[in-house]
Amino acid sequence: MPQLPDFRLETHLSRWEFTAPHHLTASDAQTMTMAELLALAGPEDREAWDTLALGYTETFGDPGLRRAIAGTYERVDEDDLICFAGAQEGLNLAMQVLLEPGDHAVVVTPGYQSAETVPLSLCEVTGVALDDRRDWALDLDAVEAALRPNTRVLSVNFPNNPTGALIDAADFARLVELCDERGIRLFSDEVYRGLEQDPARTLPQAADLSERALSLNVTSKSLGLPGLRIGWIACRDREVRSRLERAKHYTTICNSAPSEVLARIAITARERILARNRGIIAENLPLFDAFFAEFADLFEWRAPDGGCVAFPRYLGADGVEDFCAGLVEQAGVILLPASTFRSELTPTPTDRFRLGIGRRDPGPALEAFAGRLRKR
């Protein structure tokens, strides 16, 4: 595999995430302690935890974990699932399995950097940008126009990172139809599913809509448990699942046994955890609304449709890159500037920054943020 570029987001966070006092760009919902998570375990899962032997686990993932995950889908069973060390491993290996030189992929932007850099390392890629002038709408005609006879993958992410955008269920169904009509794999990153502002707008999962589609998910984002490092891909095409297993033999081979049992507990208690995390976001949004109302001359703010990240516009004359650098250096508040989400495929906004709204008690961070602005 060719050399990949530096991962801008991780490079930025590795410098500041564990040193700056105010992490206001977190992409995950509020996490839990071990005690809080274990308190949600039923008798069978608690017994599995207490008697766990620290040996190897199945490459596909613990059967109990896969059964729990399958219960969150309508048409997926445990044999349609393979677990990975987080979503990043799943994304990386899926692209390597599905794409080769001479192929073509289409990727919706802006997004998580590896969603485009990994395909770009393998084949030709076309980007289709969400339209920030229309609340991050996706132009389905532009998607269709980007498809070619050799297109093998269409990669999408809703609710979107970093914008928090959703599309309508009818539009999502049309994407599935476009792919199935042309023999294209829809790769759907669904890691923020379950944190929609309006639950009626929750999209179906791609793997439920098509046997050819791949649904990517993880315990990190909506459930707020990134320390478990457990992700998965659901795909009802068993040949694809088999190829993913063989690819995983060259990376992690299997997941951490303790993490798989803890993930099983979390997935089983998924609705309770998601309800808690939606409640935290609902409590936080008025604080962010009030903050941006106070500084309306400096920002354009729109709450996300789903997920726990947003992508406000910065209006200051100094530009968002200098602004974010000064904010973390002088006030200890981390934001991710627009360059972090720069695309090699399409123009992307240069005046925005990613904001996290899913952590408890953002008040001190917002006060430090406001204090810096009031000194300008």
Side-chain angles (χ1 to χ4, degrees):
M1 185 173 177
Q3 182 73 33
L4 291 168
D6 285 348
F7 206 109
R8 295 183 298 273
L9 182 152
E10 295 301 338
T11 300
H12 188 85
L13 290 182
S14 69
R15 169 68 179 87
W16 296 109
E17 183 173 8
F18 299 104
T19 56
H22 303 297
H23 189 6
L24 205 53
T25 193
S27 62
D28 51 330
Q30 180 68 38
T31 197
M32 309 173 74
T33 65
M34 283 280 290
E36 288 173 323
L37 180 56
L38 287 171
L40 298 175
E44 182 179 345
D45 287 342
R46 184 63 203 227
E47 174 71 10
W49 174 254
D50 290 339
T51 61
L52 179 66
L54 297 177
Y56 288 110
T57 65
E58 295 185 24
T59 299
F60 285 118
D62 168 62
L65 171 59
R66 286 187 284 120
R67 283 193 295 273
I69 294 170
T72 69
Y73 293 82
E74 294 182 0
R75 303 185 66 186
V76 167
D77 65 35
E78 65 182 273
D79 290 330
D80 299 320
L81 290 155
I82 179 168
C83 298
F84 295 99
Q88 180 76 289
E89 184 188 29
L91 187 158
N92 193 320
L93 293 184
M95 294 302 117
Q96 293 188 56
V97 161
L98 298 175
L99 296 170
E100 59 186 39
D103 289 342
H104 174 252
V106 175
V107 175
V108 171
T109 67
Y112 196 58
Q113 183 177 334
S114 57
E116 68 172 63
T117 53
V118 176
L120 274 169
S121 73
L122 299 165
C123 67
E124 191 171 355
V125 184
T126 300
V128 177
L130 300 175
D131 188 346
D132 66 327
R133 299 162 299 179
R134 298 191 297 123
D135 293 337
W136 304 109
L138 177 63
D139 185 339
L140 296 188
D141 291 337
V143 172
E144 187 168 9
L147 302 178
R148 303 177 186 175
N150 64 331
T151 302
R152 299 290 176 261
V153 171
L154 168 59
S155 176
V156 301
N157 166 215
F158 298 107
N160 178 258
N161 176 15
T163 69
L166 274 168
I167 60 174
D168 291 338
D171 289 340
F172 191 68
R174 180 57 185 150
L175 291 177
V176 174
E177 291 173 359
L178 281 173
C179 289
D180 282 352
E181 289 167 359
R182 300 168 184 241
I184 297 167
R185 301 283 181 181
L186 178 64
F187 184 85
S188 177
D189 178 340
E190 299 165 358
V191 301
Y192 285 109
R193 191 172 187 272
L195 295 184
E196 293 77 11
Q197 293 294 314
D198 178 2
R201 295 196 64 194
T202 302
L203 293 173
Q205 296 173 103
D208 282 329
L209 296 181
S210 169
E211 293 182 0
R212 296 181 54 81
L214 290 80
S215 286
L216 177 74
N217 215 322
V218 74
T219 58
S220 302
K221 303 304 184 184
S222 293
L223 294 177
L225 297 167
L228 296 184
R229 309 310 304 138
I230 296 293
W232 62 90
I233 286 177
C235 181
R236 288 185 281 147
D237 185 328
R238 299 289 172 83
E239 192 270 338
V240 167
R241 194 192 76 138
S242 177
R243 291 170 64 196
L244 288 168
E245 183 208 21
R246 293 195 298 273
K248 188 181 172 186
H249 291 162
Y250 277 91
T251 54
T252 56
I253 301 174
C254 68
N255 295 330
S256 156
S259 286
E260 289 198 323
V261 175
L262 293 171
R264 189 166 93 194
I265 294 167
I267 297 295
T268 303
R270 177 177 179 273
E271 293 306 325
R272 281 181 284 173
I273 298 173
L274 289 176
R276 182 202 74 148
N277 292 344
R278 287 192 298 267
I280 291 169
I281 293 170
E283 291 175 4
N284 287 347
L285 278 174
L287 302 178
F288 287 97
D289 290 341
F291 173 87
F292 287 111
E294 179 179 352
F295 300 103
D297 59 325
L298 286 175
F299 304 100
E300 287 182 7
W301 159 247
R302 178 180 178 272
D305 297 326
C308 53
V309 293
F311 210 38
R313 173 174 281 120
Y314 177 61
L315 305 175
D318 51 339
V320 75
E321 304 298 323
D322 288 346
F323 171 71
C324 288
L327 185 67
V328 68
E329 291 167 0
Q330 299 172 33
V333 178
I334 313 172
L335 299 173
L336 283 173
S339 60
T340 311
F341 296 95
R342 183 180 73 250
S343 173
E344 304 300 325
L345 303 173
T346 71
T348 45
T350 58
D351 55 0
R352 292 180 178 266
F353 58 91
R354 194 184 75 183
L355 185 74
I357 62 170
R359 299 281 184 90
R360 274 202 188 102
D361 192 20
L366 288 174
E367 186 53 40
F369 194 172
R372 162 76 174 155
L373 295 176
R374 291 172 188 140
K375 293 177 182 177
R376 290 164 64 92

